[in-house]
Amino acid sequence: MLRHFIAVTGVLALAAIMTSCGQPGAPQPPSLEMPRAVTDLSVTRKGDRVAMRWTSPARFTDGRIIKKVGKTNICRTPGNLPAVKCDEIGNVPTELPKASGPIEQSHFEDKLTQVTLGTVMYGVEVQNAYGKSVGLSNQVEISTAPALAAPSRVNATVGENGVTILWAPIAAPALPEVRFGYQISRRGESGQFAAIATVPIGDTSYVDQTFEWEKKFEYRIDVVTESASDNRVLVEGEDSETASVLAHDVFPPAVPKELQAVFSGPGQKVFIDLTWAPNLEPDLAGYFVYRREEGGTFTKLNSAALTVPSFRDDQVQAGKTYIYSVSAVDVRGNESAKSAETSESVP
């Protein structure tokens, strides 16, 4: 009996041990450790320099976090069709994203040394530690049209008609497929340079009339290469030196013209109506009216600038002759010279 009890107890204990261990799951295949393909490659060209930026993948294709990886190949293929394999022109170490902090982008700069009209496709290929990859990133087409050097001796001066930018001319080759032009860019006291105009390659000056007075500006010029068939900008050349100005307004509006004076006529309260041609300056504040009698000096008739090109003078007396002149004033208080005089008599 004792032996039977011991045997049963041993069987139950073994069964309990086997039950507590659990059953093994389905076998998992080993990870191929293939990094995911880059999807955010951006490529820009300035002169003969091509700048590439992208974010390296953080995970393998099976979702596992990358801890060890190989190099990143830089790929450039002639033509405008996406490549199926990497035509390697260089490589960089793969920079894995950090566990914390902002995501940093990888970068590479290529230089086009033999420039002819056409296009190339750029891409990157991230390899694993064994030199394998899932293929190329998104690909970006870049023109290989020629880029010209920036003009020299750039200068900017402020005048009453605007800021005049001057530069030394450059020699441009005659190519039927493309044309060249000067692109003028401007930057204010804060912010980035932005293009404000493109002028033909034969020009050597430009007048900027879209600025704001009493502010500082910087100007620079580059030569753009455009497609002769559809006006697309193919390449922006290197930037010139900058020219700085303070757009201080000391320039009055134009002198008003065509001033006329007309007496009111009999049977009415006596007055003299004045009219003149309106000024067209965008910063015009208004007009001042001046009057004098024969042999006298001018007196200003209105303390606040008139916003319309007309005025009624009802402070006149019979038997006198009045002589009038008008000036224009801008919003910064710059006043023009007085207009040509006109006169009218009160019977």
Side-chain angles (χ1 to χ4, degrees), residues 181-264:
Y182 295 110
Q183 179 174 262
I184 296 95
S185 298
R186 181 186 68 202
R187 177 172 65 184
E189 296 176 2
S190 62
Q192 303 296 318
F193 275 101
I196 58 173
T198 301
V199 300
I201 199 68
D203 291 0
T204 56
S205 66
Y206 175 77
V207 179
D208 178 18
Q209 296 180 319
T210 63
F211 64 96
E212 294 182 66
W213 289 106
E214 307 308 322
K215 291 187 176 182
K216 293 180 180 179
F217 295 97
E218 288 182 297
Y219 293 88
R220 72 184 184 194
I221 304 172
D222 60 16
V223 179
V224 292
T225 306
E226 298 178 319
S227 169
S229 60
D230 56 11
N231 301 329
R232 287 183 301 117
V233 174
L234 302 176
V235 184
E236 289 188 5
E238 296 290 352
D239 297 320
S240 72
E241 59 191 357
T242 62
S244 303
V245 294
L246 170 60
H248 180 46
D249 184 9
V250 295
F251 308 101
V255 177
K257 297 180 179 179
E258 302 177 25
L259 176 62
Q260 297 181 6
V262 179
F263 174 64
S264 64

